[in-house]
Amino acid sequence: MKKILVIGAGGHSRVLQDIINEIGGYQVTAILDDKFQFKESREGVYFGPISMLNDLVAEFDCKIIVAIGQNEMRLKVISQLKLHADRYETVIHPTAIVSKDVSIGQGTVIMANVVVNTGSKIGSHVILNTSAVIDHDALIDDYAHIAPNATLTGAVTVGVGSLIGAGSTVLPTTAIGQWSIIGAGSTVIKNVSSNITVAGSPARIIRKGRVSCG
């Protein structure tokens, strides 16, 4: 049974733990979050601060998944850990439909009922959330988050750290820049530059400048 250590103990982490249990073949060794001040064991699972990570990895030789939904915080934690890319586990829910030629980076999570079609490339530490649809030839860069029921039509590009909000639709060949936010329920009909927030149908700029995005 493959040992896995989960970093993060919020709602996103609980969903991810459900996926791990649904897949089977994993043993969750520890759940680490800085809201825990001390190391403790509950039913064979260690809980404690993230500073415990190196000792637990050395003891159990476990894989890591960072279960933090907020993109910027996920990047910050992973940057601080300084682990080799191969240490991170990629987790795909059994109900997800992923074309055989899709490439997926380390540490990415693909949740229930997601569809990823042929020719697409998914970066590292990406979240493809529940029932998202990624059509053919999409390019989703590292630390992006495609929220529940969002649809990327053919050949859409999403830059590093951007959030495509729940229920939004991005039209074919559209490019979304880095660290931008597409508001929930939006329809994106033209390219979106980096570090802005757009919303509406059609989507329009509502804020300029980089903001934290989940």
Side-chain angles (χ1 to χ4, degrees), residues 105-154:
Q106 299 291 335
T108 285
V109 177
I110 300 180
M111 294 190 174
N113 300 315
V114 169
V115 176
V116 186
N117 281 332
T118 185
S120 295
K121 296 181 179 180
I122 313 300
S124 297
H125 307 290
V126 170
I127 299 170
L128 302 184
N129 219 316
T130 309
S131 298
V133 175
I134 314 300
D135 211 342
H136 65 87
D137 302 305
L139 176 59
I140 302 177
D141 216 331
D142 301 344
Y143 301 100
H145 184 168
I146 314 302
N149 289 304
T151 298
L152 307 186
T153 56

Side-chain angles (χ1 to χ4, degrees), residues 47-68:
F47 293 79
I50 297 173
S51 59
M52 289 175 51
L53 175 72
N54 289 333
D55 289 343
L56 290 171
V57 168
E59 182 177 353
F60 295 107
D61 191 29
C62 49
K63 289 283 193 173
I64 309 295
I65 189 75
V66 178
I68 297 173

Side-chain angles (χ1 to χ4, degrees), residues 139-142 144 146 152 156-160 162-164 174-177:
L139 176 59
I140 302 177
D141 216 331
D142 301 344
I146 314 302
L152 307 186
V156 167
T157 300
V158 178
V160 173
S162 285
L163 168 66
I164 311 299
T174 302
I176 310 296

Side-chain angles (χ1 to χ4, degrees), residues 181-195:
I181 298 175
I182 310 302
S186 298
T187 304
V188 181
I189 64 173
K190 60 182 180 180
N191 292 349
V192 174
S193 58
S194 297
N195 302 304

Side-chain angles (χ1 to χ4, degrees), residues 85-103:
D86 289 345
R87 180 62 67 178
Y88 293 101
E89 187 75 337
T90 299
V91 175
I92 303 174
H93 194 282
T95 63
I97 300 173
V98 180
S99 180
K100 292 181 179 179
D101 69 348
V102 170
S103 66

